[in-house]
Amino acid sequence: MNKEQLDEIISLRHTLHEHAELSMQETFTKGYLYDFVKKHTDLTVVDKGRWFYAFKKGNDETKTPMAFRADFDAVAIQETCHVPYLSKNPGVGHKCGHDGHASVLCGLALALSETTPPQDTYLVFQHAEETGEGGEECAQLMEEKKIGRVFAFHNRSGYPRHAVVYRKGLTQCASKGLTISFTGKPAHASQPEDGINPAEAIATLILYAGELVRSQRFTEMVLCSVIHTEIGHKNFGVNASAGEVSMTLRANREDEMDTLELLLRNKAQCLANEQGMQVAFAISDPFPETRNHDDALQAVLTVAKKQNLKTIEMDQPWRASEDFGYYTKKTSGAMIYIGNGEDYPMVHTGDYDFCDEIIPTVVDLFYALAFMY
């Protein structure tokens, strides 16, 4: 990237940062990115409603199409960093760096406008990564366009700036939110024996969840994080009759996460039956496991070596979930990470802001991948 292009992309990133929007609400963000690519590049831009993709036709029809994906939603975290382009939406901020991810893809679009890659190349601008909804929807393009490889990146703090961080195979865990709700029978607080209070069942279930994840039942890592519980209301004259507990289930393997969920459901149903309560279940924010394919990851590492970028292999998968797993279920792909710096603020904190210095690093890496064959 030349300096003029980089300045333009950084300015774009700062504008996106100022207008941070939550998942499924990214009206300004999607429109601003769409207009930028349409105005500043020669790529064909296709509007898909909540998301869009840009397309550059290759010069060799025998080559398999390739894709690059970036997300553009923000999270419900108040900013505490000190930058002149703070979010204008109270309580919503680009604290995961998706403003930077999308800006990198715009930088790649600028670069592709100046030449023609060998294969048809698609740039996927995806909504709603934080809830997992966007990836499931956008990944259908992989089959529709018969895309052979897809690449994405996430910025990561705690690693040297510009370093390419990666993991073979499983690179990010599967997760889902599980809410279990009990409905018993109301009674006066002076006569609790006349009612059915779900407190004991919820407490038992929470303890049972802890026993499960510490047991030898699972072959790989499983986690169950209690994120919220509520029983009754703060009325000292009324015995509680309804309550719920919400947990985030997380695992290296989706099948073991599903087993954990089934065991929790069965336990909750047994408790409800024993105590004469009704029980209901709800799932939120499901994410698949994200697994890198060897051929796609090797392509990244080959380019990184040619560009003299430091590469670091992770010993363990990143526990945070990523809906890029929907793409790698459809075709070969790789999710990599670019270091922000060892002491850089962590994502999903108020002090974090995407590191603009890594923008040209990723644009150059992706550009080289587009011309690898």
Side-chain angles (χ1 to χ4, degrees):
M1 300 181 72
N2 60 43
K3 186 180 185 304
E4 182 180 352
Q5 290 174 326
L6 179 57
D7 289 345
E8 192 169 32
I9 293 301
I10 290 175
S11 176
L12 165 69
R13 207 277 292 178
H14 293 177
T15 299
L16 295 178
H17 192 98
E18 285 185 302
H19 297 84
E21 296 171 305
L22 297 175
S23 302
M24 306 300 280
Q25 301 176 27
E26 311 100 315
T27 305
F28 173 88
T29 306
K30 181 252 180 172
Y32 196 83
L33 288 166
Y34 181 95
D35 291 343
F36 181 93
V37 177
K38 198 167 184 63
K39 177 180 178 181
H40 295 281
T41 79
D42 67 355
L43 277 65
T44 301
V45 188
V46 180
D47 193 337
K48 301 293 287 183
R50 289 184 288 258
W51 61 285
F52 71 95
Y53 69 86
F55 166 68
K56 179 76 175 191
K57 186 165 182 58
N59 56 25
D60 187 345
E61 293 184 355
T62 68
K63 299 290 185 181
T64 304
M66 179 184 292
F68 298 87
R69 167 272 202 178
D71 38 22
F72 55 65
D73 54 333
V75 292
I77 297 177
Q78 183 66 44
E79 297 218 75
T80 54
C81 57
H82 302 286
V83 295
Y85 45 86
L86 287 172
S87 173
K88 296 178 179 178
N89 296 327
V92 180
H94 270 295
K95 303 288 99 177
C96 207
H98 297 184
D99 53 343
H101 299 170
S103 297
V104 162
L105 218 55
C106 287
L108 180 59
L110 289 177
L112 290 175
S113 288
E114 299 176 350
T115 186
T116 303
Q119 72 287 314
D120 292 350
T121 302
Y122 293 83
L123 309 186
V124 181
F125 291 82
Q126 183 205 300
H127 62 304
E129 186 280 329
E130 294 291 343
T131 60
E133 297 167 277
E136 188 171 19
E137 181 177 348
C138 297
Q140 306 307 316
L141 190 72
M142 302 301 102
E143 293 179 329
E144 179 186 333
K145 302 301 182 182
K146 297 180 172 57
I147 290 168
R149 281 182 184 169
V150 59
F151 299 94
F153 90 100
H154 203 294
N155 69 102
R156 282 209 67 178
S157 301
Y159 290 95
R161 187 163 296 173
H162 307 294
V164 176
V165 184
Y166 69 96
R167 191 170 193 274
K168 296 178 181 178
L170 177 70
T171 190
Q172 291 191 240
C173 299
S175 72
K176 67 174 68 174
L178 172 64
T179 297
I180 302 174
S181 303
F182 293 96
T183 303
K185 179 182 176 183
H188 194 280
S190 65
Q191 295 177 276
E193 67 276 10
D194 292 342
I196 302 175
N197 190 322
E200 183 178 338
I202 290 175
T204 299
L205 192 62
I206 291 172
L207 293 174
Y208 177 68
E211 293 171 3
L212 282 177
V213 300
R214 291 190 296 269
S215 71
Q216 302 300 312
R217 187 184 296 265
F218 303 99
T219 61
E220 296 188 39
M221 186 208 73
V222 294
L223 295 173
C224 181
S225 304
V226 177
I227 62 163
H228 177 261
T229 186
E230 184 173 357
I231 304 170
H233 303 282
K234 199 171 182 179
N235 184 332
F236 294 97
V238 179
N239 190 41
S241 61
E244 66 178 31
V245 58
S246 294
M247 308 172 178
T248 299
L249 313 184
R250 194 177 306 275
N252 284 359
R253 289 170 39 187
E254 286 179 59
D255 61 337
E256 294 202 321
M257 180 179 68
D258 292 340
T259 297
L260 176 62
E261 178 191 351
L262 179 61
L263 291 169
L264 289 168
R265 284 176 176 261
N266 289 344
K267 182 68 170 181
Q269 189 64 64
C270 287
L271 291 168
N273 292 343
E274 291 170 0
Q275 299 179 34
M277 295 185 293
Q278 294 180 329
V279 63
F281 307 93
I283 295 295
S284 304
D285 300 354
F287 287 85
E289 62 192 45
T290 296
R291 290 187 177 271
N292 284 335
H293 294 252
D294 289 345
D295 63 312
L297 182 58
Q298 187 55 53
V300 173
L301 296 178
T302 298
V303 169
K305 183 177 180 180
K306 289 180 179 178
Q307 296 182 343
N308 295 315
L309 294 172
K310 182 181 181 66
T311 59
I312 301 173
E313 184 173 5
M314 300 189 302
D315 293 332
Q316 299 294 327
W318 192 10
R319 289 185 181 181
S321 300
E322 165 63 65
D323 70 3
F324 188 69
Y326 286 116
Y327 295 79
T328 55
K329 287 179 181 293
K330 302 285 187 184
T331 190
S332 176
M335 164 63 73
I336 60 167
Y337 316 99
I338 304 297
N340 293 323
E342 292 94 330
D343 300 321
Y344 204 81
M346 291 294 176
V347 297
H348 283 220
T349 64
D351 287 342
Y352 166 85
D353 178 43
F354 183 86
C355 178
D356 288 330
E357 287 184 35
I358 69 173
I359 288 176
T361 303
V362 193
V363 171
D364 290 347
L365 179 66
F366 280 2
Y367 182 81
L369 284 168
F371 286 85
M372 193 170 184
Y373 301 106

